Amino acid sequence: MMHPDFFETDRHSIQLGAGAALLGGFAKDIGQDLIRHIHDLSAHTPFRHMETRGGKRMSVAMLNCGQFGWISDRSGYRYTALNPLTGKAWSALPPLFLDLATRAADVVGFRDFLPDACLINRYQPGARLSLHQDMDEQDRTAPIVSVSLGLPAIFLWGGTQRTVRPVRHQVFHGDVAVWGGTSRMIFHGIDALKNGYHPAAGHFRFNLTFRKTR
Ligand code: SIN
Ligand code: FE2
């Protein structure tokens, strides 16, 4: 259950559906720290544009931290314990990341969320993520927690069928979306990023998505 007083204490938050909400500004006060961690992580594991199964270069650049990392290549999408480029484990989830993910999930009614993967997306102007379901995780009882940082974007929130026309929600630096329960398999995506400048992120939008993969 969503905390009953939540929508009274934060007017910028909206319920997206059952077990799904967009928490306006939830991570804003730690936004700069989160971006600093992203830069530290990317010094160790550079962002890269992976290939889709069909051989297309993704417009979004990605890197992973946590016990498992999400990868895409000619053999498809999956989570791995080792970075295929280095043969080494992914960097650990920073405690600040873990704490944020657990707190956000809790607000939407998912207690003790313990993600084992964090995919970090980096969007430059024009980059987009087409409508998809997050379906590479074995544990579908856990929610997805998604943190927006830097430039604003349009978050597309569809239905359980790809044909449902998505609702467009603008997401800003520090907004956190959580979806689980009967909303866990909703199609979602990000519209092509508009050019802009953000004081903490420059010409980029970053997104952290926390998942429990197994
Ligand atoms: C995702 O669907 O994995 C990320 C969505 C986003 O960048 O906000
Ligand atoms: Fe997704």
Side-chain angles (χ1 to χ4, degrees):
M1 270 277 103
M2 193 96 49
H3 285 183
D5 57 352
F6 186 73
F7 293 100
E8 284 166 34
T9 55
D10 189 338
R11 266 185 225 94
H12 301 292
S13 294
I14 44 172
Q15 186 143 18
L16 296 168
L22 183 57
L23 309 176
F26 190 83
K28 203 171 177 186
D29 56 341
I30 56 167
Q32 288 220 12
D33 283 342
L34 294 170
I35 290 174
R36 201 169 309 129
H37 276 91
I38 294 171
H39 289 315
D40 290 350
L41 289 161
S42 71
H44 180 261
T45 317
F47 278 100
R48 66 184 181 104
H49 296 268
M50 291 189 275
E51 273 192 325
T52 64
R53 191 201 301 268
K56 277 196 193 149
R57 177 185 189 266
M58 297 181 74
S59 62
V60 179
M62 299 176 174
L63 76 83
N64 288 289
C65 61
Q67 203 182 340
F68 299 102
W70 185 85
I71 62 163
S72 172
D73 59 21
R74 298 279 180 138
S75 30
Y77 313 122
R78 62 202 177 276
Y79 286 97
T80 63
L82 302 178
N83 179 346
L85 292 192
T86 61
K88 295 197 175 123
W90 307 100
S91 303
L93 273 182
L96 183 73
F97 283 24
L98 199 54
D99 176 67
L100 169 63
T102 305
R103 284 188 293 115
D106 189 71
V107 166
V108 187
F110 301 97
R111 298 186 70 180
D112 303 321
F113 176 53
L114 193 63
D116 57 13
C118 174
L119 176 65
I120 307 175
N121 293 323
R122 188 188 70 188
Y123 298 74
Q124 80 270 8
R128 58 192 288 272
L129 199 59
S130 53
L131 275 186
H132 66 279
Q133 293 168 299
D134 291 356
M135 51 193 307
D136 303 318
E137 301 76 24
Q138 287 159 25
D139 184 341
R140 305 244 176 109
T141 63
I144 302 287
V145 173
S146 167
V147 181
S148 290
L149 296 166
L151 287 179
I154 303 290
F155 179 61
L156 306 169
W157 181 252
T160 50
Q161 308 286 315
R162 188 184 293 278
T163 48
V164 174
R165 187 179 182 166
V167 180
R168 300 163 63 84
H169 294 283
Q170 204 168 15
V171 283
F172 296 94
H173 180 69
D175 289 356
V176 179
V178 177
W179 61 95
T182 54
S183 294
R184 175 64 180 73
M185 300 311 288
I186 293 286
F187 277 90
H188 58 279
I190 292 288
D191 208 355
L193 194 78
K194 288 229 162 67
N195 206 349
Y197 181 80
H198 187 278
H203 300 285
F204 292 112
R205 171 180 185 261
F206 296 101
N207 168 262
L208 311 172
T209 38
F210 296 95
R211 300 100 187 277
K212 187 172 184 316
T213 68
R214 49 201 86 197

